[in-house]
Amino acid sequence: MTDGRPISDYGLLGDTRTAALVGSDGGMDWLCVPRFDGDPLFGRLVGGPDAGSFRVGPARPATVVERRYRRHTATLETTWAVGGGRLRLTEAMVAEVSGRLLPTTLIVRRLSAEQATVDAMVEFDPRLGVRHRRPRVHHRRQALVCEWGALAVALHSTPAFRIEPGRPSSITVRPGRPVTLVLAVAHREPLIHVEPASAWDVLMQDEARWRAWTAEIDERLPFREHVARSLLTLRLLTYSPSGAPVAAPTTSLPEDPGGERNWDYRYVWPRDASIGVSAFLSVGKAAEARGFLAWLLHASRLQRPRLPALLTLHGRRAPAERELPGWPGYLGSRPVRVGNDAAGQHQLDGYGWVVDAAWAFAQAGHRLSAETWRAVRGFADVVARCWQEPDAGIWEVRKPGQHVHSKLMGWLALDRALAIADTHPLSERQRRRWQESRDALAAEVRTRGFDEAAASYMRGYGSQDLDAALLVLPLLDMDRADSPRVRGTVDAIRDRLSAGGPLLYRYPPGQDGLPGTEGAFLPCSFWLVQALARTGRRGEAVELFQSMVDLARPLGLYAEELNPATGAHLGNYPQTLTHAALIQAALAIRDAPTPG
């Protein structure tokens, strides 16, 4: 376990291929190699001390006086007060390695002292995989080299000092004389040694690229700094070799601490990724959107026209769930799982999100390739054919049902496909079939999905429960955003699914067939911001957004859920869906009319 350290205590380091989580004690307690979904090299976060860690920080307990990302970069700084001095850890992973003789994964960590000399320590304890395998160790060219077959890592330091895996090394950091550590990772390739001074220079160049990337974001965007941090987070969590955004870089961080709601999110949900695509497009980042659509075209080809609920980073079927014996879990939350059985579910709503992303891409002036349009047509055909069937829904419930949100998103898939067809080739027969299915779907949802007594659309046909996913209703244009049905649905969800303050449950707690409880679902609060902005309540939307950004201080990172009573973040972290929803909420505030 992690000694009760809150999930939100961890900062994210990333290079668009994998990611590390670092606590405020300087402990790197999570890093999978060579990809997000690879074996843990440091797994202490859910595997306990035997799973390995890489700690760099004060030699004795110290007070954190500041923790932040350098503005508009992916570089994390942690500063401690130690006696009469201060110790600062500056760290990041290098994202841009192409065209240079650099390892695919390069982590740079630098300790610097201010005001006085400070005693620090380094504890490097890599343990690979499910069985926490220790490495074969040898020293080469003033570097510590650890090997496990096809995987090798090299740790360099300047000034040089001897490091032995699993044994703390004491060092002294003097003002003006920083200590720099560089970790290089190689998998099925030569191990490239990088001198610390060179690695630091490369990191500074990387910082300049991040600042230039962020500078393109509209200066007039509401909550621009929070949007920029979320965009950076989404970019770090996008696997650059394929263009696929991972849902989260972690597995088995619990929705219910001590319980069994622990899932592996190191895969790609086309739904979540599509929301991110729309967010990138809305701030002018077309390259990221184009990359995802290209990945989706490749990834879905073997199962097309069916759209899988989730896929691996390379577009393959996600492995079946299995439990890791002996792994204690975060705060005793067992089992720790790898793989995800939701891969086999039918989720109708996913088609809506994906086709909507393609429509947004076309709306932004980018013509879809013939192959992409062929894939979109196939998705629309599936919706036209099977929209009446039950599905698992956005919340991936174990028992399929007639989920109103799924139907709405099925309607969206057909509506947006028809809109794309205005500028792309489509047979008249196909057009008529889509139109007939779209109109029939809307009529059924209005008849069977709406409860007159509650003045709201409900979670399912005949259900008395609400579903916060229905907050997307004002965005779809199936009903007018200012219609009594839309406003009634938004108000009912805000009232009856409230978890206190700005927080919402996604559905009534305990209504998913799983043991234990869960927290408030953070994307739903940002969807409420969107809904308020779209229904003419901009002031309320701004107030709610401000309350939400206060929950992610100081680093601006969000998990999937939050405990309403304690404010503790729950679930895998950081969560792509939450950050994408934040961006879209800010854009909705931007586009909402200001009352005259």
Side-chain angles (χ1 to χ4, degrees):
M1 293 189 299
T2 53
D3 305 319
R5 186 177 304 281
I7 289 171
S8 58
D9 182 73
Y10 285 93
L12 173 75
L13 307 182
D15 63 3
T16 74
R17 292 170 292 279
T18 188
L21 295 186
V22 182
S24 63
D25 65 342
M28 186 177 289
D29 293 336
W30 186 255
L31 173 68
C32 293
V33 291
R35 301 178 304 275
F36 294 108
D37 59 354
D39 285 335
L41 183 68
F42 308 123
R44 187 174 186 267
L45 182 64
V46 293
D50 290 343
S53 182
F54 179 17
R55 181 170 174 255
V56 177
R60 295 179 296 277
T63 301
V64 176
V65 293
E66 186 180 35
R67 198 135 192 260
R68 68 183 184 105
Y69 284 101
R70 290 188 179 181
R71 188 168 185 261
H72 295 172
T73 78
T75 303
L76 180 64
E77 287 186 345
T78 305
T79 305
W80 298 273
V82 186
R86 292 196 172 193
L87 182 68
R88 175 172 294 128
L89 173 61
T90 304
E91 56 188 335
M93 300 171 70
V94 176
E96 185 54 69
V97 298
S98 60
R100 292 179 289 181
L101 188 60
L102 292 172
T104 302
T105 297
L106 184 65
I107 302 172
V108 185
R109 314 186 79 186
R110 171 172 281 191
L111 285 172
S112 55
E114 299 174 357
Q115 303 170 9
T117 297
V118 176
D119 292 330
M121 62 86 67
V122 174
E123 186 171 3
F124 181 69
D125 188 19
R127 307 282 194 92
L128 185 66
V130 173
R131 298 182 180 179
H132 316 319
R133 290 189 289 141
R134 297 178 183 271
R136 290 194 300 114
V137 178
H138 52 94
H139 293 267
R140 183 189 304 166
R141 294 177 55 190
Q142 295 186 326
L144 169 66
V145 177
C146 300
E147 296 181 349
W148 302 262
L151 179 76
V153 302
L155 182 62
H156 288 256
S157 65
T158 298
F161 60 95
R162 191 169 182 85
I163 300 173
E164 296 293 342
R167 298 180 184 176
S169 299
S170 298
I171 57 175
T172 300
V173 186
R174 295 178 172 83
R177 299 182 62 184
V179 175
T180 305
L181 297 114
V182 177
L183 182 65
V185 181
H187 181 254
R188 301 186 186 279
E189 60 188 6
L191 180 59
I192 300 171
H193 295 266
V194 184
E195 294 299 322
S198 298
W200 184 258
D201 289 342
V202 168
L203 184 60
M204 294 302 99
Q205 295 167 23
D206 222 44
E207 278 199 3
R209 275 186 289 271
W210 284 124
R211 289 194 179 99
W213 187 85
T214 309
E216 298 170 353
I217 302 169
D218 187 352
E219 291 282 353
R220 299 163 295 176
L221 187 64
F223 299 98
R224 183 179 186 274
E225 292 304 304
H226 302 287
V227 171
R229 179 52 51 197
S230 285
L231 282 166
L232 278 165
T233 302
L234 290 184
R235 187 67 189 90
L236 290 175
L237 295 179
T238 298
Y239 184 60
S240 56
S242 69
V246 68
T250 54
T251 181
S252 302
L253 288 180
E255 299 168 9
D256 179 22
E260 62 180 67
R261 293 169 178 259
N262 319 313
W263 317 108
D264 190 352
Y265 272 21
R266 299 172 301 153
Y267 305 107
V268 185
W269 273 253
R271 170 205 307 117
D272 299 10
S274 298
I275 297 172
V277 163
S278 297
F280 277 126
L281 274 172
S282 297
V283 296
K285 297 292 186 184
E288 285 74 14
R290 185 180 293 106
F292 165 70
L293 288 174
W295 171 84
L296 183 65
L297 184 69
H298 167 79
S300 63
R301 71 195 189 287
L302 295 179
Q303 300 183 59
R304 201 181 299 160
R306 177 182 174 272
L307 179 67
L310 66 137
L311 292 156
T312 69
L313 297 169
H314 290 294
R316 301 185 180 94
R317 184 181 177 90
E321 279 180 22
R322 61 189 179 95
E323 300 176 3
L324 303 186
W327 284 56
Y330 176 85
L331 295 181
S333 305
R334 291 186 293 270
V336 173
R337 294 182 171 96
V338 294
N340 197 304
D341 282 346
Q345 291 185 347
H346 168 50
Q347 297 177 15
L348 180 66
D349 72 288
Y351 295 89
W353 294 113
V354 168
V355 177
D356 186 56
W359 171 79
F361 189 74
Q363 283 287 102
H366 310 286
R367 187 174 180 84
L368 301 181
S369 70
E371 183 63 19
T372 302
W373 176 226
R374 187 178 301 115
V376 169
R377 292 202 311 267
F379 296 151
D381 283 341
V382 169
V383 174
R385 186 170 63 250
C386 71
W387 66 265
Q388 293 173 303
E389 299 173 6
D391 80 317
I394 187 172
W395 308 129
E396 300 178 347
V397 295
R398 302 298 177 90
K399 184 178 180 181
Q402 298 286 3
H403 301 286
V404 172
H405 173 262
S406 295
K407 306 301 184 186
L408 291 174
M409 298 308 293
W411 178 91
L412 184 69
L414 295 168
D415 185 73
R416 297 300 192 253
L418 285 163
I420 297 172
D422 289 341
T423 55
H424 291 71
L426 183 70
S427 72
E428 192 57 35
R429 180 180 179 184
Q430 225 170 354
R431 186 188 301 273
R432 283 197 305 271
R433 184 165 67 248
W434 292 357
Q435 288 172 334
E436 290 168 0
S437 296
R438 180 193 61 180
D439 295 345
L441 202 165
E444 180 175 290
V445 169
R446 290 190 180 108
T447 302
R448 300 181 63 189
F450 189 80
D451 187 305
E452 296 287 351
S456 173
Y457 285 98
M458 308 306 287
R459 186 179 179 186
Y461 292 168
S463 171
Q464 298 301 304
D465 291 338
L466 289 166
D467 181 353
L470 294 174
L471 289 167
V472 301
L473 189 60
L475 313 178
L476 307 187
D477 300 322
M478 190 184 83
D479 289 334
R480 294 189 332 272
D482 61 349
S483 72
R485 283 189 169 213
V486 171
R487 291 179 67 97
T489 301
V490 172
D491 291 340
I493 291 170
R494 191 179 191 184
D495 177 43
R496 290 171 51 186
L497 292 182
S498 173
L503 301 175
L504 294 174
Y505 294 109
R506 49 184 171 172
Y507 41 69
Q511 298 296 312
D512 57 10
L514 294 171
T517 60
E518 64 174 12
F521 201 75
L522 292 173
C524 295
S525 294
F526 289 115
W527 291 343
L528 178 57
V529 171
Q530 278 185 281
L532 291 172
R534 286 295 297 268
T535 54
R537 290 176 277 184
R538 186 179 190 276
E540 294 175 61
V542 169
E543 182 180 353
L544 180 61
F545 193 107
Q546 184 61 62
S547 297
M548 288 300 297
V549 299
D550 289 342
L551 298 175
R553 299 187 187 279
L555 297 179
L557 300 177
Y558 295 87
E560 182 179 43
E561 300 183 10
L562 190 134
N563 184 320
T566 66
H569 286 245
L570 304 171
N572 287 299
Y573 171 90
Q575 175 72 241
T576 295
L577 180 59
T578 310
H579 286 277
L582 179 152
I583 297 163
Q584 291 195 314
L587 293 166
I589 291 173
R590 179 197 66 184
D591 297 336
T594 302

